[in-house]
Amino acid sequence: MAAKISKNLLAKIRTFTHIRAYSSAVTEVGKFNERKNVQKVPSPLKVKQRTHHLHSRAFHASLVSQGKIVPFKLSDIGEGIREVHVKEWFVKEGDTVSQFDSLCEVQSDKASVTITSRYDGKVKKLYYEIDDLALVGDPLVDIETDEDSPSSSTDTPTYDPPEEGEMTISSTDHSMQMVKGHKVLATPAVRRLAMENKIRLSEVSGTGKDGRVLKEDILRFMQGEDTPKETPAVQPSAPPQPAVPSTAPTPSAAKPPPPLKRPAPVVLGKDKTEPLKGVRKAMVKTMTIANAIPHFGYCDEIDMTALVNLRDSLRKMAAERGINFSYMPVILKAASLALGQYPTLNAHVDDKCENITYKASHNIGLAMDTPDGLMVPNIKNVQALSIFEVASELTRLVDLGTKGKLGPSDLTGGTFSISNIGSIGGTYASPVLLPPEVAIGAIGKIQTLPRFDAGNVAKAHIMQVSWSADHRVIDGATMCRYSNLWKSYLENPASMILDLK
Amino acid sequence: MMTSLMTQARLLQKYSKCFRDIPQHYVRNVTRTLATHSTTYKALVSKSTNIHKNLAFEQYLYSTIDFHHTNLLFLWRNDPCVVIGRHQNPWVECNIGFLQEHNIALARRHSGGGTVYHDNGNLNCTFFTARNGYNRKRNLNLLVEAITKSWDIDLTVNERDDIILDGLYKISGTAAKLDKTKGYHHCTLLFNVQADTLQEALSATHIGCKSKATASFPARIANLADADNTITYEALIASVAEQFLAQNRENQVYSAEWVDPGSIEGCKDINKIQEDLQKWEWVFGKTPPFHIHRQFRKDFKGYSSHVQIHLDIKAEIVCGLVEKIQINMKGFDSKNIEEFIRVLHQECIGLQFRKHTLEYKLNELLNTSHMYDADMEIGNWIMSCILDNVQ
């Protein structure tokens, strides 16, 4: 029965090809005889066997003998892709293929595309090997076609790269008018009315179901009341919403505005994210560990007037020896002297805080702001150095710091730390311990402030200090007494002589 | 030629007697769907977390449904597994030994692209459309929109079709498969994946491999939950499905359906595809041909003195089978070992490039080789070098 279907009907039926796929049981056109051998689910390993069905085709009136050799070009994949890699061939030269059989698989970037044959016939030549680069528009295979097979089916799609936010429908041979790719729906009577009045349906906004153009719409258009047609689904300005292929919105179905719509922010600068590296990364690590330690703070102010008065004479002496005088070496030495009386503050604890090691040498660290970031080099054995030696060592470290050349021996082994934030500015601070140390101090800048001196207001040079200590091992009283001792050395420099070693 | 779809549909009805296999109600459905002429958006969520079952189900959906007027979104997630692209080389892309030790499955999908690690903290989205509706950027933007609507995080889509968090971290990879009439685009979405396991699983230990297989593009990854820890699987699928289904017209109300691929109609077909996907011939055998060239060196205490032996192993693997293997040994002269190597060259051809297959064969060869002492020690070492390549 199947063989008696006329050629004309066959050609007409071929146009239904895009409808027929609704039932998975429908065989492809041209395979009526093989209804029973339907392959419902193409499995990955069996594609090559598909060509076997074809010998028993009694469908064509003439046998395939000397057909035309047609080069089958690689059609546009879309998305502006110009070349693809051929990854697998499903046919070889000499195989017979029918329309829609898979020829090969190509890969473009991330998309794996199966190329199917457009013609019936015999594969004469493969233009590419596996892994070759195939260019769009160039021939992929040569197929020797039968005389009466269609040279191109009606639904050869032209894959235009989809515009942003819009769906394009493949060009078919319909002479229907399109509105941005959607066919205008109208009954034949309405169409005739439009045609008589020389109105283009695409210009009329439809108010019927599915955006259908009704007679009233035409009449209204003719009376000039029609508003310019809204373009339904294209919003290229907003962040691309998925394209809704519905036709012009009907007045009744006014959609409520989306609840969380934010106005596009005006961005002046641009966010910049970068990973933390080097010193900053180390700082993250140290500070995270330090955060687990319970700190307590203790602050006080020191009257530096005596030292300030001594400065001039001390500076002269230092200059003779080629060193710049500053208060820092005196402060450090005073700290070391006081540590001699309170060795608990010059100690290390282990991470679980199970053991405390009283350190013999006073390696006092000085927090420094270097071009690389915060670094705390320490001066070793301050207890054994004179103020002068401390000063020269300090100069050396500052030099290295500014050059960014502080070595590991300078940076490790500290037992006590002082941060001179006052050199930049500020008064009180809240320093964070440098594990495994147990105490740290931050000194502010020396300000000239009014203070009472035996009932009269006098000018005093005041410097603030803020101590932080590990409350697991240090108590407030210890810190307070230490601070008082250190303060007394600085307020009365001569008293340092008593504890000199 | 036909001038209207309606006329075509009417003709189809008329001639449907010829199409014996189309039941009449399909024909009626056709005409109705053609008449309404708009796209329906549907969403499915898989109840299964088996990678092979889900891949099989995805393939089944792709081959059986017609997407001319339907756009389907399929949401799924899997137990820990690694999925390689259609034309990739698993030996190069992932650490096969690690996968076997930790019971992480390995699967090869049909779409192209690179290798990904899945676990229950990774959401997969597959967008099925007709061929002309295929648009990866649109899908990815839909996902970004869905997530940023409910959570305040910084997501962008880059030119490689990855979704990037905070401008730095990749949280999604994309792959696609296209046909003449339809196509699908699927992507991953890392919301709470085990980053350490991912790192280990995807660090290939294989060196000395040369092939034309698609190479993966390694990238720094992060989880969505790192940016906002209220992002969970349930919340995420609800957001994404809602955003996708909102594209339906107002009078079509759809919600995402939960589907168990093991028990729906057609599960036999799905099981068949699943079996095929699990076969060694598919997962490993579909690897494009590649060469291995490695060198080893070891010191041995010979009978009289120290000996340093250089081993040069070259192998060609085609379709996962050893096509050719060539071993050159320098530094020790022994007739027995030369004989052993010669036999090895012959016997290994055609074997699966698989640890237990090769191990079995090599053990057999060693046992029948009548080698003793130093020779046997060297023979064992050669075997371990060869097996080192397979893992």
Side-chain angles (χ1 to χ4, degrees), chain A residues 136-449:
Chain A
V136 168
D138 282 356
L140 196 60
V141 292
D142 274 346
I143 298 187
E144 186 184 9
T145 58
D146 315 326
E147 277 178 29
D148 55 353
S149 67
S151 57
S152 66
S153 62
T154 47
D155 61 345
T156 337
T158 51
Y159 301 127
D160 309 312
E163 293 163 39
E164 202 181 282
E166 194 175 49
M167 235 169 65
T168 51
I169 293 189
S170 61
S171 58
T172 58
D173 271 313
H174 300 298
S175 55
M176 295 196 45
Q177 294 168 31
M178 305 281 206
V179 178
K180 290 276 178 194
H182 310 297
K183 300 178 187 52
V184 181
L185 293 176
T187 62
V190 170
R191 282 182 196 281
R192 206 180 54 229
L193 184 64
M195 205 165 62
E196 280 167 15
N197 290 294
K198 305 233 186 313
I199 295 171
R200 292 199 67 212
L201 279 174
S202 47
E203 284 164 27
V204 183
S205 54
T207 55
K209 186 180 174 212
D210 296 341
R212 224 175 275 251
V213 177
L214 305 174
K215 194 168 157 197
E216 293 77 37
D217 298 327
I218 305 264
L219 294 173
R220 210 179 19 176
F221 185 80
M222 291 195 318
Q223 284 163 26
E225 281 172 24
D226 200 359
T227 50
K229 183 123 196 213
E230 299 165 51
T231 51
V234 181
Q235 300 159 34
S237 52
Q241 304 266 342
V244 182
S246 60
T247 49
T250 56
S252 52
K255 216 169 177 178
L260 290 168
K261 193 157 191 164
R262 290 178 283 190
V266 177
V267 179
L268 293 171
K270 206 174 167 205
D271 286 350
K272 184 176 155 197
T273 310
E274 61 185 27
L276 289 168
K277 290 189 274 211
V279 177
R280 294 174 76 190
K281 193 168 177 184
M283 202 161 103
V284 170
K285 203 166 152 199
T286 322
M287 294 304 171
T288 314
I289 300 172
N291 196 37
I293 304 173
H295 290 53
F296 77 89
Y298 173 80
C299 304
D300 204 354
E301 62 174 44
I302 301 136
D303 189 347
M304 299 280 274
T305 319
L307 258 182
V308 170
N309 292 338
L310 275 176
R311 187 174 64 167
D312 289 332
S313 45
L314 286 174
R315 195 189 282 171
K316 238 186 283 174
M317 281 193 273
E320 280 167 24
R321 298 205 211 175
I323 298 280
N324 248 338
F325 176 79
S326 70
Y327 298 117
M328 211 56 218
V330 184
I331 293 171
L332 290 172
K333 187 65 187 170
S336 169
L337 281 174
L339 278 176
Q341 307 293 324
Y342 294 95
T344 323
L345 291 164
N346 190 58
H348 278 184
V349 281
D350 57 9
D351 356 309
K352 292 214 182 74
C353 205
E354 280 166 6
N355 299 306
I356 181 165
T357 312
Y358 299 101
K359 290 287 183 180
S361 50
H362 301 169
N363 298 341
I364 303 188
L366 191 65
M368 245 183 233
D369 179 31
T370 66
D372 287 330
L374 170 66
M375 293 210 179
V376 190
N378 53 77
I379 302 173
K380 305 273 193 288
N381 289 309
V382 178
Q383 80 278 7
L385 298 175
S386 67
I387 294 180
F388 197 75
E389 282 159 357
V390 171
S392 57
E393 184 64 13
L394 186 61
T395 322
R396 181 187 75 90
L397 285 175
V398 167
D399 273 338
L400 285 178
T402 43
K403 284 187 218 151
K405 285 197 187 333
L406 285 166
S409 59
D410 292 323
L411 290 167
T412 56
T415 58
F416 188 85
S417 297
I418 291 194
S419 167
N420 185 13
I421 195 67
S423 59
I424 303 175
T427 50
Y428 293 106
S430 190
V432 176
L433 284 171
L434 195 66
E437 294 170 20
V438 294
I440 184 171
I443 47 187
K445 65 175 185 277
I446 302 179
Q447 301 166 289
T448 317
L449 295 170

Side-chain angles (χ1 to χ4, degrees), chain B residues 117-123 147 153-155 163-166 168-172 188-198 220-231 236:
Chain B
Y117 169 82
H118 291 183
D119 68 18
N120 282 305
N122 169 50
L123 172 66
I147 299 173
I153 46 185
D154 169 27
L155 289 180
I163 302 184
I164 308 285
L165 173 69
D166 286 343
L168 256 193
Y169 303 104
K170 176 172 162 171
I171 57 154
S172 162
T188 57
L189 206 56
L190 299 177
F191 63 92
N192 203 356
V193 89
Q194 299 290 337
D196 312 322
T197 324
L198 185 151
R220 230 183 332 204
I221 53 107
N223 282 312
L224 279 172
D226 294 336
D228 188 333
N229 60 6
T230 58
I231 299 182
L236 202 56

Side-chain angles (χ1 to χ4, degrees), chain B residues 74-109:
Chain B
F74 176 42
L75 298 168
W76 42 298
R77 66 171 174 172
N78 307 299
D79 293 325
C81 62
V82 167
V83 183
I84 55 176
R86 174 77 179 78
H87 306 286
Q88 289 203 297
N89 184 338
W91 286 284
V92 173
E93 297 295 335
C94 56
N95 187 341
I96 298 185
F98 179 82
L99 298 185
Q100 284 171 347
E101 270 170 57
H102 290 78
N103 271 328
I104 299 176
L106 178 62
R108 181 189 294 266
R109 56 177 190 267

